[in-house]
Amino acid sequence: MENNFQDTGETRKSTQAEKSDRMRKEILLAAISCLHEFGYHRASIKKITEKTRFSQGALQHHFPTKEDLMVFVLERLLAKSVRLTLEWLNEIGEDKSRISELTIKWWTNQANSPEYLTMVEILVAARTEDSLRRRIKPTFDNFAKVTDDRILAIFDSNKISQTIARTLITASRQMMTGLISSDGLFMKEEDKQAYIEHWAMFLQQLIEHRMQESA
């Protein structure tokens, strides 16, 4: 006779795993909100807990220390950043005329967001917190390598050197970071958007000029 009854032990495990995943997602969103609102040093475990439905004890069951939580948050945000970047690169394919479009999309949908500012807050804190820096370094190094290597792959190295392409990628990333964390603090949103659009146009013209020279 066919057994139509699901194993109750497996059901409990599945339910518990789903509950744990939902909790982690809620904690992640609460941490992003706190980091965006208060900055790294004022975003305490207590404040993050207050933005969830859970007790501080329940939160610390998953993340015993603030550092543990910050490592988790950065890993999740960098993974999402990689996924979005790869999706956009797949969209443009080999059409290098859309590099400017990619640059604007990168800014609008990723860099100019609470999530990206959250990443910046954690990275800046890692400058003076040695343990945090050691823990997030492998994740960040992998993030930079995966995204940069995939972007570099769309450039023809015979027409645009890998050194120049990598410099442009890094410059774009650092400029966007600066716009949300330093110079951009004193700029209107429309001025920042215009700045990015001018930069995207400059990149496009530079790439097209390089390709024409090598033709």
Side-chain angles (χ1 to χ4, degrees), residues 52-75:
T52 73
R53 296 169 295 157
F54 314 110
S55 68
Q56 185 168 331
L59 186 150
Q60 290 189 283
H61 173 74
H62 290 272
F63 306 103
T65 68
K66 180 178 176 179
E67 182 180 296
D68 293 327
L69 177 54
M70 294 301 104
V71 171
F72 168 76
V73 170
L74 188 71
E75 288 175 347

PDB file of all heavy atoms in Angstrom, residues 52-75:
ATOM      1  N   THR A  52      12.247  44.539  13.979  1.00  0.00           N
ATOM      2  CA  THR A  52      11.747  43.210  13.641  1.00  0.00           C
ATOM      3  C   THR A  52      10.644  42.803  14.600  1.00  0.00           C
ATOM      4  O   THR A  52      10.325  43.522  15.553  1.00  0.00           O
ATOM      5  CB  THR A  52      12.877  42.153  13.721  1.00  0.00           C
ATOM      6  OG1 THR A  52      13.201  41.905  15.102  1.00  0.00           O
ATOM      7  CG2 THR A  52      14.128  42.620  12.984  1.00  0.00           C
ATOM      8  N   ARG A  53      10.089  41.611  14.369  1.00  0.00           N
ATOM      9  CA  ARG A  53       9.058  41.072  15.272  1.00  0.00           C
ATOM     10  C   ARG A  53       9.668  40.156  16.324  1.00  0.00           C
ATOM     11  O   ARG A  53       8.950  39.502  17.072  1.00  0.00           O
ATOM     12  CB  ARG A  53       8.041  40.271  14.453  1.00  0.00           C
ATOM     13  CG  ARG A  53       7.245  41.073  13.446  1.00  0.00           C
ATOM     14  CD  ARG A  53       6.478  40.144  12.533  1.00  0.00           C
ATOM     15  NE  ARG A  53       7.381  39.330  11.718  1.00  0.00           N
ATOM     16  CZ  ARG A  53       7.054  38.159  11.171  1.00  0.00           C
ATOM     17  NH1 ARG A  53       5.845  37.654  11.381  1.00  0.00           N
ATOM     18  NH2 ARG A  53       7.925  37.494  10.443  1.00  0.00           N
ATOM     19  N   PHE A  54      10.999  40.115  16.375  1.00  0.00           N
ATOM     20  CA  PHE A  54      11.662  39.150  17.232  1.00  0.00           C
ATOM     21  C   PHE A  54      12.322  39.813  18.431  1.00  0.00           C
ATOM     22  O   PHE A  54      12.560  41.019  18.450  1.00  0.00           O
ATOM     23  CB  PHE A  54      12.724  38.382  16.421  1.00  0.00           C
ATOM     24  CG  PHE A  54      12.227  37.908  15.092  1.00  0.00           C
ATOM     25  CD1 PHE A  54      12.694  38.469  13.909  1.00  0.00           C
ATOM     26  CD2 PHE A  54      11.265  36.911  15.025  1.00  0.00           C
ATOM     27  CE1 PHE A  54      12.224  38.042  12.676  1.00  0.00           C
ATOM     28  CE2 PHE A  54      10.785  36.471  13.793  1.00  0.00           C
ATOM     29  CZ  PHE A  54      11.265  37.041  12.622  1.00  0.00           C
ATOM     30  N   SER A  55      12.628  38.998  19.410  1.00  0.00           N
ATOM     31  CA  SER A  55      13.341  39.488  20.581  1.00  0.00           C
ATOM     32  C   SER A  55      14.832  39.590  20.270  1.00  0.00           C
ATOM     33  O   SER A  55      15.329  38.980  19.312  1.00  0.00           O
ATOM     34  CB  SER A  55      13.146  38.534  21.761  1.00  0.00           C
ATOM     35  OG  SER A  55      13.803  37.295  21.500  1.00  0.00           O
ATOM     36  N   GLN A  56      15.545  40.348  21.085  1.00  0.00           N
ATOM     37  CA  GLN A  56      16.984  40.466  20.891  1.00  0.00           C
ATOM     38  C   GLN A  56      17.656  39.099  21.089  1.00  0.00           C
ATOM     39  O   GLN A  56      18.613  38.767  20.382  1.00  0.00           O
ATOM     40  CB  GLN A  56      17.572  41.496  21.858  1.00  0.00           C
ATOM     41  CG  GLN A  56      19.063  41.749  21.625  1.00  0.00           C
ATOM     42  CD  GLN A  56      19.567  42.966  22.380  1.00  0.00           C
ATOM     43  OE1 GLN A  56      18.823  43.904  22.627  1.00  0.00           O
ATOM     44  NE2 GLN A  56      20.832  42.938  22.750  1.00  0.00           N
ATOM     45  N   GLY A  57      17.134  38.313  22.008  1.00  0.00           N
ATOM     46  CA  GLY A  57      17.685  36.980  22.238  1.00  0.00           C
ATOM     47  C   GLY A  57      17.534  36.093  21.017  1.00  0.00           C
ATOM     48  O   GLY A  57      18.446  35.339  20.665  1.00  0.00           O
ATOM     49  N   ALA A  58      16.354  36.187  20.352  1.00  0.00           N
ATOM     50  CA  ALA A  58      16.119  35.377  19.150  1.00  0.00           C
ATOM     51  C   ALA A  58      17.058  35.805  18.030  1.00  0.00           C
ATOM     52  O   ALA A  58      17.602  34.971  17.301  1.00  0.00           O
ATOM     53  CB  ALA A  58      14.660  35.515  18.708  1.00  0.00           C
ATOM     54  N   LEU A  59      17.244  37.116  17.897  1.00  0.00           N
ATOM     55  CA  LEU A  59      18.149  37.610  16.855  1.00  0.00           C
ATOM     56  C   LEU A  59      19.580  37.136  17.121  1.00  0.00           C
ATOM     57  O   LEU A  59      20.277  36.676  16.207  1.00  0.00           O
ATOM     58  CB  LEU A  59      18.092  39.140  16.796  1.00  0.00           C
ATOM     59  CG  LEU A  59      18.871  39.808  15.653  1.00  0.00           C
ATOM     60  CD1 LEU A  59      18.192  41.111  15.239  1.00  0.00           C
ATOM     61  CD2 LEU A  59      20.323  40.101  16.045  1.00  0.00           C
ATOM     62  N   GLN A  60      19.992  37.224  18.374  1.00  0.00           N
ATOM     63  CA  GLN A  60      21.360  36.846  18.692  1.00  0.00           C
ATOM     64  C   GLN A  60      21.573  35.337  18.715  1.00  0.00           C
ATOM     65  O   GLN A  60      22.703  34.875  18.760  1.00  0.00           O
ATOM     66  CB  GLN A  60      21.784  37.486  20.019  1.00  0.00           C
ATOM     67  CG  GLN A  60      21.955  38.994  19.883  1.00  0.00           C
ATOM     68  CD  GLN A  60      22.581  39.635  21.101  1.00  0.00           C
ATOM     69  OE1 GLN A  60      21.920  39.823  22.118  1.00  0.00           O
ATOM     70  NE2 GLN A  60      23.859  39.979  20.990  1.00  0.00           N
ATOM     71  N   HIS A  61      20.495  34.583  18.655  1.00  0.00           N
ATOM     72  CA  HIS A  61      20.628  33.138  18.461  1.00  0.00           C
ATOM     73  C   HIS A  61      21.211  32.875  17.079  1.00  0.00           C
ATOM     74  O   HIS A  61      22.009  31.949  16.895  1.00  0.00           O
ATOM     75  CB  HIS A  61      19.266  32.455  18.602  1.00  0.00           C
ATOM     76  CG  HIS A  61      19.295  30.996  18.246  1.00  0.00           C
ATOM     77  ND1 HIS A  61      19.853  30.041  19.066  1.00  0.00           N
ATOM     78  CD2 HIS A  61      18.839  30.342  17.137  1.00  0.00           C
ATOM     79  CE1 HIS A  61      19.745  28.854  18.482  1.00  0.00           C
ATOM     80  NE2 HIS A  61      19.127  29.011  17.320  1.00  0.00           N
ATOM     81  N   HIS A  62      20.803  33.682  16.104  1.00  0.00           N
ATOM     82  CA  HIS A  62      21.318  33.548  14.732  1.00  0.00           C
ATOM     83  C   HIS A  62      22.627  34.313  14.554  1.00  0.00           C
ATOM     84  O   HIS A  62      23.535  33.851  13.856  1.00  0.00           O
ATOM     85  CB  HIS A  62      20.283  34.060  13.735  1.00  0.00           C
ATOM     86  CG  HIS A  62      19.081  33.191  13.618  1.00  0.00           C
ATOM     87  ND1 HIS A  62      19.005  32.134  12.736  1.00  0.00           N
ATOM     88  CD2 HIS A  62      17.898  33.203  14.288  1.00  0.00           C
ATOM     89  CE1 HIS A  62      17.830  31.529  12.852  1.00  0.00           C
ATOM     90  NE2 HIS A  62      17.135  32.177  13.792  1.00  0.00           N
ATOM     91  N   PHE A  63      22.707  35.486  15.183  1.00  0.00           N
ATOM     92  CA  PHE A  63      23.882  36.348  15.027  1.00  0.00           C
ATOM     93  C   PHE A  63      24.328  36.816  16.413  1.00  0.00           C
ATOM     94  O   PHE A  63      23.858  37.848  16.904  1.00  0.00           O
ATOM     95  CB  PHE A  63      23.550  37.549  14.134  1.00  0.00           C
ATOM     96  CG  PHE A  63      22.963  37.158  12.807  1.00  0.00           C
ATOM     97  CD1 PHE A  63      21.592  37.278  12.574  1.00  0.00           C
ATOM     98  CD2 PHE A  63      23.764  36.656  11.800  1.00  0.00           C
ATOM     99  CE1 PHE A  63      21.039  36.906  11.365  1.00  0.00           C
ATOM    100  CE2 PHE A  63      23.216  36.271  10.576  1.00  0.00           C
ATOM    101  CZ  PHE A  63      21.862  36.396  10.361  1.00  0.00           C
ATOM    102  N   PRO A  64      25.206  36.066  17.053  1.00  0.00           N
ATOM    103  CA  PRO A  64      25.605  36.381  18.437  1.00  0.00           C
ATOM    104  C   PRO A  64      26.188  37.775  18.625  1.00  0.00           C
ATOM    105  O   PRO A  64      26.008  38.388  19.676  1.00  0.00           O
ATOM    106  CB  PRO A  64      26.647  35.302  18.745  1.00  0.00           C
ATOM    107  CG  PRO A  64      26.292  34.170  17.833  1.00  0.00           C
ATOM    108  CD  PRO A  64      25.798  34.817  16.582  1.00  0.00           C
ATOM    109  N   THR A  65      26.887  38.293  17.608  1.00  0.00           N
ATOM    110  CA  THR A  65      27.506  39.614  17.735  1.00  0.00           C
ATOM    111  C   THR A  65      27.113  40.498  16.559  1.00  0.00           C
ATOM    112  O   THR A  65      26.650  40.016  15.514  1.00  0.00           O
ATOM    113  CB  THR A  65      29.045  39.507  17.762  1.00  0.00           C
ATOM    114  OG1 THR A  65      29.505  39.065  16.470  1.00  0.00           O
ATOM    115  CG2 THR A  65      29.510  38.536  18.836  1.00  0.00           C
ATOM    116  N   LYS A  66      27.312  41.779  16.731  1.00  0.00           N
ATOM    117  CA  LYS A  66      27.050  42.715  15.645  1.00  0.00           C
ATOM    118  C   LYS A  66      27.943  42.400  14.452  1.00  0.00           C
ATOM    119  O   LYS A  66      27.506  42.502  13.299  1.00  0.00           O
ATOM    120  CB  LYS A  66      27.299  44.159  16.123  1.00  0.00           C
ATOM    121  CG  LYS A  66      27.055  45.203  15.039  1.00  0.00           C
ATOM    122  CD  LYS A  66      27.276  46.611  15.570  1.00  0.00           C
ATOM    123  CE  LYS A  66      27.119  47.640  14.458  1.00  0.00           C
ATOM    124  NZ  LYS A  66      27.298  49.025  14.942  1.00  0.00           N
ATOM    125  N   GLU A  67      29.172  42.017  14.715  1.00  0.00           N
ATOM    126  CA  GLU A  67      30.090  41.683  13.623  1.00  0.00           C
ATOM    127  C   GLU A  67      29.556  40.508  12.807  1.00  0.00           C
ATOM    128  O   GLU A  67      29.610  40.531  11.574  1.00  0.00           O
ATOM    129  CB  GLU A  67      31.469  41.342  14.175  1.00  0.00           C
ATOM    130  CG  GLU A  67      32.495  41.031  13.085  1.00  0.00           C
ATOM    131  CD  GLU A  67      33.861  40.700  13.656  1.00  0.00           C
ATOM    132  OE1 GLU A  67      34.467  41.597  14.283  1.00  0.00           O
ATOM    133  OE2 GLU A  67      34.318  39.548  13.485  1.00  0.00           O
ATOM    134  N   ASP A  68      29.033  39.486  13.490  1.00  0.00           N
ATOM    135  CA  ASP A  68      28.450  38.345  12.776  1.00  0.00           C
ATOM    136  C   ASP A  68      27.329  38.806  11.846  1.00  0.00           C
ATOM    137  O   ASP A  68      27.217  38.355  10.706  1.00  0.00           O
ATOM    138  CB  ASP A  68      27.888  37.316  13.776  1.00  0.00           C
ATOM    139  CG  ASP A  68      28.970  36.642  14.592  1.00  0.00           C
ATOM    140  OD1 ASP A  68      30.081  36.438  14.064  1.00  0.00           O
ATOM    141  OD2 ASP A  68      28.704  36.333  15.771  1.00  0.00           O
ATOM    142  N   LEU A  69      26.496  39.701  12.352  1.00  0.00           N
ATOM    143  CA  LEU A  69      25.375  40.204  11.550  1.00  0.00           C
ATOM    144  C   LEU A  69      25.879  41.028  10.375  1.00  0.00           C
ATOM    145  O   LEU A  69      25.371  40.914   9.256  1.00  0.00           O
ATOM    146  CB  LEU A  69      24.439  41.035  12.427  1.00  0.00           C
ATOM    147  CG  LEU A  69      23.252  41.691  11.728  1.00  0.00           C
ATOM    148  CD1 LEU A  69      22.428  40.666  10.958  1.00  0.00           C
ATOM    149  CD2 LEU A  69      22.379  42.432  12.739  1.00  0.00           C
ATOM    150  N   MET A  70      26.892  41.870  10.596  1.00  0.00           N
ATOM    151  CA  MET A  70      27.409  42.714   9.521  1.00  0.00           C
ATOM    152  C   MET A  70      28.047  41.877   8.404  1.00  0.00           C
ATOM    153  O   MET A  70      27.916  42.195   7.222  1.00  0.00           O
ATOM    154  CB  MET A  70      28.427  43.706  10.075  1.00  0.00           C
ATOM    155  CG  MET A  70      27.848  44.747  11.030  1.00  0.00           C
ATOM    156  SD  MET A  70      26.541  45.790  10.293  1.00  0.00           S
ATOM    157  CE  MET A  70      25.062  45.061  11.033  1.00  0.00           C
ATOM    158  N   VAL A  71      28.718  40.799   8.782  1.00  0.00           N
ATOM    159  CA  VAL A  71      29.304  39.902   7.778  1.00  0.00           C
ATOM    160  C   VAL A  71      28.192  39.283   6.944  1.00  0.00           C
ATOM    161  O   VAL A  71      28.272  39.229   5.714  1.00  0.00           O
ATOM    162  CB  VAL A  71      30.149  38.800   8.457  1.00  0.00           C
ATOM    163  CG1 VAL A  71      30.568  37.735   7.439  1.00  0.00           C
ATOM    164  CG2 VAL A  71      31.389  39.407   9.111  1.00  0.00           C
ATOM    165  N   PHE A  72      27.125  38.839   7.599  1.00  0.00           N
ATOM    166  CA  PHE A  72      25.976  38.259   6.898  1.00  0.00           C
ATOM    167  C   PHE A  72      25.344  39.268   5.942  1.00  0.00           C
ATOM    168  O   PHE A  72      25.053  38.952   4.783  1.00  0.00           O
ATOM    169  CB  PHE A  72      24.944  37.789   7.929  1.00  0.00           C
ATOM    170  CG  PHE A  72      23.599  37.435   7.348  1.00  0.00           C
ATOM    171  CD1 PHE A  72      23.421  36.248   6.659  1.00  0.00           C
ATOM    172  CD2 PHE A  72      22.504  38.284   7.496  1.00  0.00           C
ATOM    173  CE1 PHE A  72      22.175  35.908   6.127  1.00  0.00           C
ATOM    174  CE2 PHE A  72      21.266  37.963   6.973  1.00  0.00           C
ATOM    175  CZ  PHE A  72      21.097  36.772   6.281  1.00  0.00           C
ATOM    176  N   VAL A  73      25.134  40.486   6.424  1.00  0.00           N
ATOM    177  CA  VAL A  73      24.510  41.530   5.597  1.00  0.00           C
ATOM    178  C   VAL A  73      25.358  41.816   4.365  1.00  0.00           C
ATOM    179  O   VAL A  73      24.852  41.867   3.237  1.00  0.00           O
ATOM    180  CB  VAL A  73      24.308  42.828   6.416  1.00  0.00           C
ATOM    181  CG1 VAL A  73      23.886  43.979   5.510  1.00  0.00           C
ATOM    182  CG2 VAL A  73      23.264  42.610   7.506  1.00  0.00           C
ATOM    183  N   LEU A  74      26.665  41.991   4.557  1.00  0.00           N
ATOM    184  CA  LEU A  74      27.535  42.303   3.421  1.00  0.00           C
ATOM    185  C   LEU A  74      27.554  41.165   2.417  1.00  0.00           C
ATOM    186  O   LEU A  74      27.491  41.395   1.200  1.00  0.00           O
ATOM    187  CB  LEU A  74      28.950  42.613   3.899  1.00  0.00           C
ATOM    188  CG  LEU A  74      29.874  43.133   2.786  1.00  0.00           C
ATOM    189  CD1 LEU A  74      29.468  44.545   2.373  1.00  0.00           C
ATOM    190  CD2 LEU A  74      31.333  43.115   3.215  1.00  0.00           C
ATOM    191  N   GLU A  75      27.622  39.934   2.907  1.00  0.00           N
ATOM    192  CA  GLU A  75      27.642  38.787   1.992  1.00  0.00           C
ATOM    193  C   GLU A  75      26.376  38.739   1.150  1.00  0.00           C
ATOM    194  O   GLU A  75      26.434  38.501  -0.071  1.00  0.00           O
ATOM    195  CB  GLU A  75      27.791  37.489   2.794  1.00  0.00           C
ATOM    196  CG  GLU A  75      29.182  37.289   3.381  1.00  0.00           C
ATOM    197  CD  GLU A  75      29.278  36.061   4.263  1.00  0.00           C
ATOM    198  OE1 GLU A  75      28.209  35.492   4.623  1.00  0.00           O
ATOM    199  OE2 GLU A  75      30.408  35.672   4.610  1.00  0.00           O
TER     200      GLU A  75
END
